[in-house]
Amino acid sequence: MNELKGLTALVIEPNPSMRASLHNMLSLCGLVRIDDAASSNQAIRALETRIYDLVLCEYALEGGQDGQQMLEDLRHHRLINAATMFFMVTGEGQFSKVVSAAELMPNDYILKPFAADAMLERIWRALDRRNALLPVYQLVEMGDLRAAIEACEEGEAAQPRFAMEFRRLRAEMHIQAGEPELAEPLYAELWDSRQVPWARLGQAKTLYLRGRFDEARAMLEDLLGKNSRFLDAYDWLARTHEANGNPAAAQAVLAEAVELSPHAVRRLRRLGEVALEAGDVDGAERAFKQVVSKTRYSEFRTPEDHAKLAQTLVKKGDPVQAAAVIRDLDKSLSGTPNTDLCSAIASAALHEFTGNVARMNASLDYAVSGARAATGLSNEMKMELARTCLEVGKEEQATEVMRDVMRNSATPGAMERAMRMMEKSGHAELGQRLADESRNEVGEMVAAGAALAKQGDFRGAVDLMLEAVAKLPDNAQVAFNAAVAILKCLENQGWDDALGRHVLALVATVRRLDPANDKLNALAGLHQDILKKYNIRPAARREAGVRVAI
């Protein structure tokens, strides 16, 4: 029981009496550091400042979000880590629906009604598993994927009852290290021996990451034929269709998944984007309307959702509804970053449609100016701004915006989408020129940083590359070379904790933007060599659960 006494817990429950009951039950189980949240928004604010060992979340939350959506948000925004034990509390009548539709699984489900001893048994079971896997989690947090893979192999041999969990983690680490070809046989063996759907999905992912889209598609279609409610497989199947240039097929797959699980906001958002690309304006309108509705009470809402809905309504020929959406954007997200900018981009498209040239020009001028200094604005929104500029003959402004888009394209696929937009707008030659210029500019940035390092100015190289990252936060090549510059600086000038945290974030950025990068393994290897040189080991768990930004 002493081990439970040191755990931190967060109870997310809208009903005051049930919240108090859960709090008391945890106290009876031996926990003493317990916080409460009555809503998802309160919970998110708590999780932004603290790391909890245990989260107990009611499935039926208030404010338009359920517990599964809550878990999705927390995982996506990295507000809970792999070591956090997440329990979903649900009534027996909802259990089959919750379990069958869940793609991001909690550690366990607790069915109401239940007693404190039943909860204690579930906590001990989850804690036992977490303690077995904790050394791997710590190594991953330090960025030492090679050691994490070795720890999985050792753990599988030493603790065979958790063999499947260790093997799954090992496969995931190989993917993160840019080694999908090493992950595939692990997933294949698990599928052949256990027939667990996530293993087949993992195998399909490894095929996708190696560009074998048709093989991945066939495997995913077979998997969904056997388990039609495995939602994560729909997302990857849609990606294979997109990779093969078939947005209509991707839209159909995502629409089927939305029918099964209508509350997954990120999937709904992607459905709207793919529907637009496929030319289905009505389908895009339905999807974006649901996104705006479902995120209205979310801490993670973004003004881009309103802007995309307004732009879709303009394309549909409904300026009245589009204007209403823009007014709602201005009112409900006032003060949110990029709200004014997104409003201007959507307004420009609206005024173009209605023929109000003066207001269109004013909106475009404001949007182009605002886009120069904006942070966090997606390339999709910038491309929509550029498209409007091109349609009304403002080629100079469009060139400025698209130059930034192409400089900040994360992968070849992102660059191709930008080129496609330019071609559809009748400016394929300009698009090619901008693409060539952006590649040259990024190359010059990287070369300048390398030259400083070669001259022995390692800190100057770091400063230059971090400045480049600030300008181009979504360019995987820039993030990669900034990580290299920091590692060379650490190697030659000694360990620095701040730079150590920086390089972890940059490596994570490269993995997110370009998971198939064949140089990821070499980058991770250089990182580990430096950690070993300075004897940097996985830190002990953070005292009092205070969150540290990396």
Side-chain angles (χ1 to χ4, degrees):
M1 195 71 74
N2 288 338
E3 191 174 1
L4 293 184
K5 185 177 180 180
L7 297 181
T8 56
L10 176 66
V11 175
I12 309 171
E13 167 59 63
N15 184 288
S17 60
M18 187 63 186
R19 190 164 62 246
S21 176
L22 290 172
H23 191 120
N24 290 337
M25 284 187 185
L26 288 176
S27 297
L28 290 172
C29 290
L31 282 79
V32 295
R33 298 154 70 188
I34 308 167
D35 292 336
D36 301 319
S39 67
S40 59
N41 290 349
Q42 285 184 16
I44 287 165
R45 286 192 286 272
L47 287 158
E48 285 174 336
T49 57
R50 293 177 63 89
I51 292 176
Y52 291 93
D53 298 292
L54 171 67
V55 176
L56 211 62
C57 181
E58 165 62 40
Y59 176 76
L61 298 175
E62 296 177 352
Q65 187 177 53
D66 61 38
Q68 189 61 39
Q69 289 175 271
M70 176 75 177
L71 177 58
E72 181 185 354
D73 276 343
L74 296 179
R75 296 257 195 243
H76 181 79
H77 294 279
R78 300 181 182 181
L79 291 183
I80 58 175
N81 58 30
T84 300
M85 299 174 287
F86 191 100
F87 288 81
M88 194 81 73
V89 180
T90 180
E92 191 168 354
Q94 296 172 318
F95 179 65
S96 60
K97 179 181 72 172
V98 175
V99 172
S100 62
E103 55 214 276
L104 290 171
M105 299 291 288
N107 291 83
D108 208 343
Y109 296 89
I110 300 179
L111 296 184
K112 296 183 289 188
F114 55 89
D117 57 349
M119 180 187 290
L120 179 60
E121 180 185 349
R122 299 297 180 90
I123 293 174
W124 272 118
R125 189 163 59 195
L127 187 61
D128 186 32
R129 177 184 178 275
R130 189 189 76 159
N131 287 344
L133 301 176
L134 191 58
V136 178
Y137 296 151
Q138 290 176 328
L139 289 164
V140 172
E141 188 175 350
M142 288 294 296
D144 195 343
L145 293 182
R146 190 60 48 210
I149 289 169
E150 293 173 1
C152 285
E153 294 171 340
E154 294 168 0
E156 185 177 344
Q159 303 185 74
R161 61 201 175 101
F162 296 118
M164 187 162 66
E165 286 89 343
F166 280 116
R167 193 164 297 189
R168 179 178 188 173
L169 277 174
R170 181 152 57 109
E172 290 173 358
M173 295 307 100
H174 278 304
I175 288 179
Q176 286 192 40
E179 301 168 338
E181 71 283 355
L182 297 181
E184 184 186 1
L186 295 172
Y187 284 126
E189 184 180 350
L190 283 166
W191 170 253
D192 292 340
S193 62
R194 302 290 187 93
Q195 295 288 298
V196 283
W198 56 258
R200 197 61 160 174
L201 173 62
Q203 191 178 3
K205 286 181 186 179
T206 67
L207 295 171
Y208 176 91
L209 291 172
R210 285 179 285 165
R212 293 161 60 179
F213 303 126
D214 289 335
E215 292 175 70
R217 176 186 52 76
M219 190 173 288
L220 290 165
E221 287 174 344
D222 178 69
L223 173 59
L224 286 170
K226 294 180 172 71
N227 187 342
S228 63
R229 297 192 68 86
F230 190 43
L231 293 166
D232 211 10
Y234 287 94
D235 297 327
W236 282 90
L237 178 57
R239 291 189 194 188
T240 66
H241 287 307
E242 289 184 78
N244 283 324
N246 192 346
Q251 179 189 352
V253 168
L254 291 172
E256 191 174 351
V258 166
E259 283 291 320
L260 292 170
S261 179
H263 301 303
V265 171
R266 265 171 290 283
R267 184 180 296 116
L268 276 168
R269 186 179 289 124
R270 188 64 196 136
L271 174 59
E273 293 165 350
V274 171
L276 271 185
E277 192 174 351
D280 182 2
V281 179
D282 289 335
E285 177 192 0
R286 287 192 298 272
F288 286 133
K289 277 185 174 178
Q290 290 184 72
V291 172
V292 168
S293 173
K294 291 179 185 299
T295 59
R296 188 165 295 277
Y297 303 103
S298 170
E299 289 284 296
F300 302 113
R301 64 192 306 213
T302 167
E304 291 199 15
D305 292 330
H306 277 76
K308 288 174 183 175
L309 174 57
Q311 291 162 348
T312 301
L313 290 165
V314 168
K315 289 175 182 172
K316 185 183 177 183
D318 191 344
V320 175
Q321 269 204 82
V325 170
I326 294 171
R327 287 194 299 271
D328 182 51
L329 165 61
D330 293 336
K331 179 180 178 181
S332 63
L333 281 97
S334 177
T336 302
N338 292 334
T339 289
D340 293 343
L341 179 53
C342 288
S343 178
I345 293 172
S347 296
L350 172 62
H351 297 318
E352 177 201 359
F353 180 84
T354 59
N356 192 328
V357 177
R359 296 188 69 180
M360 178 195 70
N361 285 331
S363 294
L364 284 176
D365 290 343
Y366 181 91
V368 171
S369 175
R372 293 188 190 114
T375 57
L377 187 70
S378 72
N379 273 354
E380 285 72 22
M381 288 303 300
K382 293 176 184 176
M383 283 194 288
E384 186 61 27
L385 170 59
R387 184 201 62 77
T388 305
C389 288
L390 288 171
E391 287 190 357
V392 299
K394 292 179 176 287
E395 188 172 305
E396 184 177 344
Q397 290 93 328
T399 297
E400 177 187 344
V401 174
M402 287 307 296
R403 181 178 286 115
D404 180 62
V405 167
M406 291 186 175
R407 288 161 67 228
N408 209 22
S409 290
T411 62
M415 181 69 79
E416 288 169 13
R417 285 195 295 275
M419 296 280 288
R420 220 162 33 236
M421 190 283 287
M422 295 295 288
E423 185 178 354
K424 285 182 180 179
S425 298
H427 294 79
E429 186 176 338
L430 173 60
Q432 186 61 59
R433 176 167 63 81
L434 291 174
D436 292 339
E437 287 178 4
S438 69
R439 292 188 185 102
N440 290 337
E441 184 179 359
V442 170
E444 288 170 2
M445 287 181 182
V446 171
L452 287 173
K454 191 173 182 179
Q455 295 165 13
D457 186 2
F458 297 104
R459 189 70 213 207
V462 168
D463 291 342
L464 182 66
M465 290 311 302
L466 289 181
E467 183 180 342
V469 168
K471 290 179 181 176
L472 308 174
D474 289 326
N475 189 296
Q477 183 184 355
V478 170
F480 182 95
N481 283 278
V484 171
I486 292 177
L487 290 171
K488 291 294 184 184
C489 182
L490 293 172
E491 184 179 36
N492 287 277
Q493 296 192 340
W495 182 258
D496 178 281
D497 283 337
L499 287 182
R501 289 193 296 272
H502 243 317
V503 80
L504 275 176
L506 288 167
V507 172
T509 296
V510 178
R511 289 195 180 109
R512 174 176 58 83
L513 296 175
D514 191 12
N517 189 318
D518 57 7
K519 296 180 180 179
L520 264 173
N521 196 23
L523 182 65
L526 178 59
H527 182 209
Q528 296 320 309
D529 288 344
I530 292 169
L531 290 177
K532 290 173 184 174
K533 178 178 179 178
Y534 297 111
N535 197 31
I536 306 298
R537 300 297 182 201
R541 297 182 63 252
R542 299 182 185 118
E543 186 176 356
V546 177
R547 180 173 293 281
V548 179
I550 294 179

